[in-house]
Amino acid sequence: MTSHTFRFSDLYVLTIFTFFHYSLCIEYEKTALLEFKKDLIDDANLLSSWNNSNGDCCKWYGITCNNQTGRVTEIRLRGSDDMADFDNQDASVQKLGGNLNPSLQNLTSLEYLDLSSNDFGGNPIPTYIGSLRNLTYLNLSDSSFSGEIPTQLGNLSALRVLSVHRNLYSDDQYELTVESLRWLSGVSRLRHLDLSGVQVGRVFDWSQVTRTLLPSSLEQLHLSNCGLPPITPNLTINLSLLSVLDLSFNNFSTNSIPSWISSFRSLVSLNLANCEFKENICNLREISLSWNKFDGKNLSEVLSSWFQCESSKLESLRFVGSGLSGNLPPQLGNLKNLVHIDLNRNSISGSIPDSLGNLSSLQTLQLGRNSISGTLPDSIGRLSTLVTMYLSSNLISGPLPDSLGRLSSLVDLDLSYNEINGTLPQSIGQLTNLTSLNIEQNFLSGVVTEDHFANLTSLITLRASANTLRFELLDNNWKPPFQLQILNLNSWSLGPNFPHWLQNQTDLSILYLASTGISDDIPSWFWNSFSGLQYLNISDNNFSSMSVDDFFCSNEEQKQVIYLNMGNANISGVLPDCFSTWEFLNIFSIQNNNFSGKLPVSLANLSSLESLNMRNNKLSGELPVNLMNSKSLLIIDLTENEFTGSIPIPIGDEATTLRLLNLRSNRFNGEIPDEICRLDSIQILDLADNNLSGRIPNCFNNFSVMTGKVDPSQIVGLAGDEFRGNAWLMMKGRVNGYGSILGLLTILDLSGNDLSGDIPIEITQLVELRSLNLSVNGLTGKIPVNMGDMKMLEALDLSRNRLDGIVPLSMSRLSFLNSLNLSYNELTGRIPLSGQLQTFEEWSFVGNRLCGPPVRLMCERQGEGEDDAGEEEEGDGGSDGPEWGLITSIVVGFVVGFWVVVGPLIGSNSWRTKYFEFLYDIWCKFCVCMPKKKNSSNKRFRR
């Protein structure tokens, strides 16, 4: 054997080297990092992993390497943020200091360098950083550098992010400056530039910088507290991608806000705080800085410049959704030219100042969705030009002032969702121009008469629900002076008679009279008067004498109704089959009544129907076969009726959109059909308390939301998202109502039937299921061994079956489980000791032969415990013991696979030669070797 011959050991070494060589960092880069560490001050010992004994520098703290080349590509050594960690007494210790050794420039593949929030004690930013040509991210912010920013940074042509800002609130004395900004032209790919706190004012020329130096790719520009010179008013700037501009804390005292800022079409955040716009700001007529990020900034502070004007000309003030806080300043009343105030969706608190009544030109006052409290001041009645007052969703309390009646120009008044109490002032009836009045969701009480509406001749919308007001007519023949389109009087006291004054309101499209104490028949003129009605809610009343046929089948004209709620209305009678004239119906709710008869076929055929709620009636017969084929239905709730026959199945292969099917507490019989698994969008399937038999289908893993293949949508939107779907559901042994989170629930309930056979293993693939109830059936066999895969389970009930075997160890992984019932089965053995299972009461396991906590019966060391272990090892795959079949397969596979490859290498010269040639070619390719000719390689690898 010659010196060129490879031995088997050589093969082993070469193979290992080939596959694992590039997991280690490059030696000279490791040396460079150690040199870099020597000059750093590391009081917190953050770099303890940086040492020779830890040979792979790719695994050091803050270091990331390229997986293929092993070269260092990222250094992330950000220190503690004093502002974020102000409660941490050791925050200052968690910072690096000292000097930045130039050895760092040897890391030629470095792409990401973050040394921010450290303390380098006034040292300058090293010029050698400009030689790291592959850098795309450079962050040196808040690290106590001083001196000039090196122009060499302009060599970083690949740079995307550059941040060297100095914290405005920092207490260090170091200052960063620039001698020129021409180097910016070299970073043409820059997207994020932050020079905040850097003194650039003496070299900053608006025309030069914005036209030729700033790259057009820029998306964020931060120049806060830079000592910038006055803004050039007329500029043409090519920054079409700019979304964030921060020029705050610069002194532009001689300038107005430049008009060119409005040319940034992509701008979503503009910060001009503390810019001292004084001279021309008093001439400014409009300011609109809505949807910015003033997060937490005080409104008084933002408006301070205008308050200093002797005579402000400001007419429009708009700061919608800008995160402003603080109170409404009394000085606001001094801006007497104000016409529009829009401060909706902020965090403004305190009361409305009396001085607001001084704004004699004010037309729009919008303060909705804040935290404004206190009472409405009487001075508000002086706003004689006010057209719109929107104060919804605040904390306003106390009674409404009578002065509201003096707002003679008022068109739109919205005081909804507050805490206003007392009576409704009669003076409101003097608002002759009022078209919309919204006072819903308050604490108003007392009597309302027709005098409250005496002169509301323009009224179109009246929303006043969720108050405890009582309507008492002094004249039974009263005819309202208005023609309403929207009327919501839910929770008022209107009864016992149906309000006949509604008869001439022929323009109504929305009529809500729920919980109004009506105990009467629906009048015969109802559909003749309300032919254009689209939304009707008459629930929670008493219509026991109502003719069902007259209401649903009054004429053959098409109804326009989209939403109909007649629940809890004590209605009796057979539901007629005349819904072909209700083709626009989206939501139909008649729950908790006494309807009888079959479910009308014409109702099941409605192509627009999205929600069908008929729970707790006396409906009977079989369900129409076409009900489950609807392409629009999202919710079907037929709970607590007397339906019979088999579960209806979808026909054909087209997908349905059904998300909730509740057939609980009926008389359905037969088996659960496999076709039900076509309802792949289903999230809530409740078939409990029927007479179903047979096995549980093994195709429930087709339910895409329950298996996690499709993310759930929190809100079940109905009628074009006008309504949220809602339902009453049995979960954890209680019936609860769900609305806003209905779309997040996933429930499978088959309890209270006569189902038999095993629990299908496919059920454990429902990893997003939150509630599973299979109790009170005749199920046999074992609990599936991988039940613990159902990681989102909150409630599990398998009680009152004939399940045997052990409680699987995997169930201890159900960390969200808070309701468990395994009682009255034939389970044996020890209850797993880890995880959630010990947190439940003993009744969760009673009626079995289980031992160990929380059951009081202790497990014996021998006997029962050994039997359990033996049972656990039986070969049906239902145990949590060692998988010996799997282990044996792995061992045999490894041995066979090893000798299939290695055997020929030992016994076949030609096989070994080809293999060596293959490895040698790979070696040369990655190690930059000279390629070898084939004949020489044959000699090299001959035996």
Side-chain angles (χ1 to χ4, degrees):
M1 188 178 295
T2 67
S3 60
H4 296 291
T5 302
F6 271 60
R7 295 169 299 180
F8 184 80
S9 59
D10 296 327
L11 170 65
Y12 178 81
V13 172
L14 179 57
T15 303
I16 294 299
F17 183 84
T18 300
F19 286 99
F20 295 100
H21 172 69
Y22 290 113
S23 66
L24 301 175
C25 69
I26 308 300
E27 187 64 29
Y28 72 84
E29 293 194 336
K30 172 183 173 183
T31 302
L33 290 173
L34 291 175
E35 288 294 320
F36 182 68
K37 175 186 176 181
K38 284 182 181 179
D39 287 352
L40 294 177
I41 298 173
D42 182 14
D43 292 334
N45 206 22
L46 297 174
L47 307 183
S48 59
S49 60
W50 291 33
N51 56 73
N52 279 312
S53 61
N54 187 359
D56 187 1
C57 68
C58 295
K59 298 180 180 179
W60 290 356
Y61 171 80
I63 302 299
T64 301
C65 297
N66 185 289
N67 289 333
Q68 295 180 343
T69 65
R71 295 184 181 275
V72 175
T73 57
E74 297 184 8
I75 297 179
R76 299 174 182 259
L77 296 178
R78 179 181 178 87
S80 62
D81 186 337
D82 287 337
M83 297 303 295
D85 301 330
F86 66 93
D87 286 333
N88 184 357
Q89 300 299 319
D90 297 326
S92 60
V93 178
Q94 309 294 322
K95 293 176 178 287
L96 298 174
N99 300 312
L100 301 183
N101 192 292
S103 65
L104 208 61
Q105 61 189 318
N106 294 327
L107 306 179
T108 55
S109 296
L110 196 64
E111 299 174 2
Y112 190 107
L113 178 59
D114 186 352
L115 298 175
S116 60
S117 298
N118 287 295
D119 184 1
F120 294 108
N123 285 326
I125 295 174
T127 58
Y128 71 76
I129 291 180
S131 66
L132 301 173
R133 298 297 183 90
N134 288 311
L135 274 184
T136 60
Y137 181 99
L138 176 60
N139 191 347
L140 304 175
S141 300
D142 300 331
S143 288
S144 299
F145 288 108
S146 68
E148 292 183 352
I149 294 178
T151 59
Q152 288 83 353
L153 295 186
N155 298 330
L156 304 176
S157 59
L159 205 60
R160 302 290 195 278
V161 175
L162 173 59
S163 181
V164 289
H165 79 255
R166 177 180 176 273
N167 197 309
L168 176 66
Y169 303 102
S170 175
D171 58 358
D172 67 49
Q173 303 301 312
Y174 309 118
E175 184 177 83
L176 281 170
T177 60
V178 293
E179 64 177 17
S180 171
L181 287 173
R182 293 185 180 276
W183 57 271
L184 283 174
S185 61
V187 285
S188 59
R189 300 181 182 180
L190 204 62
R191 295 178 181 174
H192 180 117
L193 175 62
D194 191 345
L195 297 178
S196 297
V198 179
Q199 297 308 301
V200 302
R202 65 185 182 86
V203 298
F204 195 94
D205 179 271
W206 282 98
S207 298
Q208 181 191 44
V209 172
T210 56
R211 289 182 182 177
T212 62
L213 298 184
L214 289 178
S216 59
S217 59
L218 207 60
E219 297 175 4
Q220 293 196 30
L221 176 61
H222 300 264
L223 296 174
S224 174
N225 192 32
C226 288
L228 296 176
I231 297 178
T232 304
N234 299 316
L235 287 177
T236 302
I237 303 177
N238 183 26
L239 294 177
S240 59
L241 300 179
L242 195 68
S243 60
V244 176
L245 176 61
D246 185 355
L247 300 177
S248 61
F249 292 91
N250 287 289
N251 188 346
F252 303 138
S253 57
T254 60
N255 291 82
S256 61
I257 297 176
S259 59
W260 47 260
I261 286 180
S262 63
S263 67
F264 298 142
R265 300 301 181 189
S266 300
L267 198 66
V268 296
S269 178
L270 172 65
N271 193 343
L272 299 178
N274 288 83
C275 286
E276 300 296 328
F277 292 110
K278 290 182 178 178
E279 183 175 319
N280 293 335
I281 204 169
C282 297
N283 295 322
L284 197 67
R285 295 184 181 276
E286 179 177 347
I287 177 170
S288 180
L289 294 174
S290 299
W291 307 109
N292 279 285
K293 298 179 180 178
F294 291 100
D295 298 337
K297 183 167 286 296
N298 194 289
L299 177 61
S300 298
E301 184 180 354
V302 173
L303 298 178
S304 59
S305 298
W306 281 273
F307 295 156
Q308 297 173 25
C309 297
E310 290 185 9
S311 179
S312 169
K313 295 183 179 179
L314 190 66
E315 296 178 0
S316 180
L317 177 64
R318 301 182 190 276
F319 283 91
V320 180
S322 294
L324 291 171
S325 63
N327 298 339
L328 289 170
Q331 299 96 315
L332 199 61
N334 298 331
L335 306 179
K336 296 191 177 180
N337 288 306
L338 273 176
V339 177
H340 304 289
I341 297 176
D342 191 347
L343 300 174
N344 284 335
R345 297 174 181 267
N346 284 286
S347 300
I348 299 168
S349 56
S351 59
I352 297 175
D354 284 330
S355 61
L356 207 65
N358 299 332
L359 302 179
S360 57
S361 300
L362 195 66
Q363 296 180 13
T364 302
L365 177 61
Q366 301 199 75
L367 304 174
R369 300 199 179 190
N370 281 284
S371 299
I372 296 170
S373 57
T375 60
L376 287 181
D378 190 68
S379 63
I380 210 160
R382 300 204 302 267
L383 302 177
S384 59
T385 60
L386 196 64
V387 175
T388 299
M389 182 159 66
Y390 181 73
L391 305 179
S392 176
S393 302
N394 280 286
L395 302 171
I396 298 171
S397 59
L400 295 174
D402 284 332
S403 63
L404 284 177
R406 298 200 298 268
L407 301 177
S408 56
S409 301
L410 198 62
V411 172
D412 190 350
L413 175 59
D414 191 341
L415 303 172
S416 60
Y417 292 90
N418 278 286
E419 300 175 1
I420 300 169
N421 55 30
T423 60
L424 185 68
Q426 191 170 312
S427 62
I428 286 215
Q430 305 306 312
L431 302 178
T432 56
N433 290 305
L434 196 67
T435 63
S436 178
L437 173 61
N438 191 345
I439 53 173
E440 63 186 6
Q441 296 290 336
N442 278 286
F443 301 122
L444 292 166
S445 59
V447 175
V448 175
T449 69
E450 58 264 50
D451 290 342
H452 286 79
F453 306 106
N455 295 308
L456 299 184
T457 55
S458 302
L459 198 64
I460 295 174
T461 298
L462 175 57
R463 298 181 184 272
S465 65
N467 289 284
T468 53
L469 293 166
R470 185 171 71 257
F471 196 23
E472 293 184 357
L473 285 177
L474 303 177
D475 180 4
N476 291 330
N477 296 317
W478 176 65
K479 291 185 178 180
F482 43 70
Q483 269 291 337
L484 295 176
Q485 295 177 7
I486 298 174
L487 176 61
N488 186 348
L489 299 181
N490 287 349
S491 300
W492 279 44
S493 179
L494 299 178
N497 297 324
F498 194 93
H500 287 275
W501 55 268
L502 288 175
Q503 186 171 358
N504 73 335
Q505 301 299 297
T506 56
D507 293 339
L508 277 173
S509 63
I510 297 177
L511 177 60
Y512 291 165
L513 300 177
S515 302
T516 51
I518 298 175
S519 180
D520 194 6
D521 191 5
I522 293 180
S524 58
W525 49 260
F526 188 88
W527 288 118
N528 292 327
S529 295
F530 305 144
S531 58
L533 202 61
Q534 293 181 309
Y535 301 91
L536 175 62
N537 187 349
I538 54 174
S539 63
D540 296 285
N541 286 291
N542 185 358
F543 293 112
S544 57
S545 60
M546 184 184 87
S547 170
V548 176
D549 285 342
D550 288 345
F551 183 81
F552 289 107
C553 314
S554 59
N555 53 54
E556 295 182 359
E557 294 181 3
Q558 284 288 347
K559 306 290 190 300
Q560 305 298 312
V561 178
I562 295 172
Y563 166 77
L564 176 59
N565 189 346
M566 304 176 67
N568 301 286
N570 199 23
I571 304 174
S572 303
V574 176
L575 202 58
D577 195 358
C578 59
F579 282 90
S580 56
T581 60
W582 295 71
E583 64 174 313
F584 299 105
L585 193 61
N586 284 174
I587 304 170
F588 185 46
S589 180
I590 57 170
Q591 77 277 12
N592 301 322
N593 281 292
N594 295 304
F595 285 104
S596 57
K598 295 183 178 182
L599 194 154
V601 174
S602 58
L603 180 61
N605 283 334
L606 292 178
S607 59
S608 297
L609 195 62
E610 296 176 351
S611 177
L612 178 62
N613 187 345
M614 310 175 82
R615 67 181 293 130
N616 193 19
N617 279 279
K618 297 178 180 178
L619 298 168
S620 59
E622 297 186 2
L623 294 182
V625 293
N626 58 336
L627 181 65
M628 305 293 282
N629 280 337
S630 170
K631 300 301 182 294
S632 60
L633 269 170
L634 300 173
I635 296 174
I636 298 177
D637 189 348
L638 305 179
T639 306
E640 297 180 71
N641 279 283
E642 299 171 6
F643 289 112
T644 57
S646 58
I647 301 293
I649 61 175
I651 301 172
D653 297 328
E654 293 188 36
T656 69
T657 58
L658 194 63
R659 295 173 66 179
L660 184 156
L661 176 60
N662 195 343
L663 304 180
R664 186 185 193 93
S665 298
N666 280 280
R667 300 176 184 174
F668 291 107
N669 53 46
E671 297 186 355
I672 301 175
D674 288 341
E675 289 83 356
I676 204 169
C677 298
R678 295 178 187 169
L679 305 175
D680 59 344
S681 298
I682 203 77
Q683 294 179 225
I684 298 168
L685 178 60
D686 192 340
L687 306 179
D689 296 333
N690 281 283
N691 300 317
L692 300 173
S693 58
R695 293 178 172 270
I696 298 175
N698 59 2
C699 56
F700 284 167
N701 54 350
N702 287 347
F703 298 152
S704 56
V705 176
M706 293 185 184
T707 56
K709 298 173 185 175
V710 175
D711 292 332
S713 174
Q714 177 173 340
I715 296 173
V716 181
L718 302 173
D721 289 336
E722 289 290 329
F723 295 89
R724 293 180 177 179
N726 60 81
W728 289 88
L729 302 171
M730 174 72 77
M731 191 171 177
K732 303 177 186 178
R734 299 186 301 273
V735 177
N736 294 307
Y738 296 91
S740 61
I741 64 167
L742 180 62
L744 295 180
L745 295 180
T746 45
I747 299 173
L748 177 59
D749 195 338
L750 307 178
S751 62
N753 285 288
D754 192 24
L755 300 174
S756 58
D758 295 342
I759 299 175
I761 192 67
E762 288 79 7
I763 277 186
T764 63
Q765 296 179 31
L766 306 181
V767 295
E768 293 296 323
L769 194 65
R770 295 179 181 271
S771 177
L772 174 62
N773 191 344
L774 304 178
S775 65
V776 196
N777 279 289
L779 299 175
T780 56
K782 294 178 170 55
I783 300 175
V785 65
N786 51 347
M787 184 67 75
D789 292 347
M790 305 176 74
K791 57 186 178 181
M792 299 303 295
L793 267 186
E794 299 174 14
L796 174 62
D797 192 344
L798 304 178
S799 64
R800 298 185 182 275
N801 282 284
R802 296 196 294 275
L803 299 172
D804 57 23
I806 63 168
V807 178
L809 179 62
S810 68
M811 286 181 60
S812 61
R813 302 198 305 265
L814 299 175
S815 55
F816 289 101
L817 197 65
N818 54 53
S819 177
L820 174 66
N821 193 349
L822 302 179
S823 64
Y824 298 103
N825 279 284
E826 299 171 8
L827 301 173
T828 58
R830 180 189 298 275
I831 298 172
L833 292 174
S834 58
Q836 291 283 94
L837 299 183
Q838 271 67 52
T839 65
F840 296 103
E841 299 291 337
E842 184 175 5
W843 63 262
S844 295
F845 305 95
V846 73
N848 291 284
R849 290 182 291 137
L850 296 168
C851 61
V855 175
R856 281 174 288 183
L857 178 64
M858 293 296 101
C859 297
E860 299 179 5
R861 293 196 175 188
Q862 295 181 350
E864 183 181 6
E866 291 176 350
D867 291 341
D868 296 339
E871 182 180 359
E872 200 171 341
E873 293 175 5
E874 290 180 359
D876 65 349
S879 72
D880 290 297
E883 297 283 354
W884 293 113
L886 177 61
I887 294 172
T888 302
S889 299
I890 292 173
V891 171
V892 171
F894 175 81
V895 171
V896 172
F898 179 84
W899 285 108
V900 164
V901 176
V902 175
L905 289 176
I906 296 176
S908 173
N909 182 45
S910 60
W911 177 276
R912 186 164 57 253
T913 299
K914 292 293 185 182
Y915 185 74
F916 291 161
E917 286 179 1
F918 173 74
L919 290 181
Y920 187 77
D921 288 340
I922 293 177
W923 175 285
C924 290
K925 184 176 180 179
F926 286 95
C927 297
V928 201
C929 290
M930 292 297 293
K932 304 297 182 182
K933 293 183 178 179
K934 185 173 182 180
N935 59 354
S936 63
S937 65
N938 285 337
K939 293 179 181 179
R940 183 178 182 86
F941 293 107
R942 75 174 183 268
R943 186 161 180 165

